[in-house]
Amino acid sequence: MTFRLDALARNALRPDEVVVVDWHVTGLCCADSGEFSVRALRRGRLPRRFRPVDALPHNIVYAHPTAWAHLAKRDVAVSCRRAGPLRWFTTDLPPDAGLRACLGRLPPLNA
């Protein structure tokens, strides 16, 4: 899995922050059903279970183990939108990527 942060995302991060790809469980019958979220988090508050992922720049993106498993071998672009002091980190994944990943129907690699 390779994450590429564009200039907007790199500039939006503070020096002590990393980008976190989190996994939120949405189904009661299956722990695998869920959705991705992308946010900034201070490095000191990063949970130990989150794994570093291959990213440009290096050591700046971490992923929840379930998110990591679903996004393995994929290239994901991360950007950031701003409205004053508020920041929204976004990816080029489809809005329903978590559901698609659970069903094994994410778009083809490098598509």
Side-chain angles (χ1 to χ4, degrees):
M1 158 175 32
T2 301
F3 278 79
R4 286 182 171 53
L5 277 67
D6 68 6
L8 295 171
R10 286 192 305 269
N11 292 335
L13 282 176
R14 297 178 184 114
D16 63 336
E17 287 183 329
V18 294
V19 173
V20 172
V21 180
D22 210 347
W23 180 258
H24 305 279
V25 176
T26 58
L28 297 176
C29 63
C30 179
D32 190 42
S33 62
E35 280 297 332
F36 302 105
S37 71
V38 181
R39 61 191 166 104
L41 188 65
R42 285 186 306 181
R43 194 177 291 272
R45 296 195 55 156
L46 188 66
R48 286 187 293 172
R49 71 179 181 269
F50 281 62
R51 299 177 180 181
V53 299
D54 188 20
L56 295 173
H58 297 290
N59 297 324
I60 201 82
V61 180
Y62 290 79
H64 185 278
T66 306
W68 187 90
H70 284 305
L71 296 175
K73 298 183 181 177
R74 296 198 171 270
D75 293 332
V76 180
V78 178
S79 188
C80 183
R81 297 182 317 178
R82 293 191 85 127
L86 301 176
R87 304 173 293 172
W88 289 274
F89 287 87
T90 60
T91 67
D92 61 350
L93 294 169
D96 60 346
L99 177 62
R100 289 182 187 201
C102 295
L103 298 173
R105 297 188 176 186
L106 269 176
L109 296 174
N110 302 321

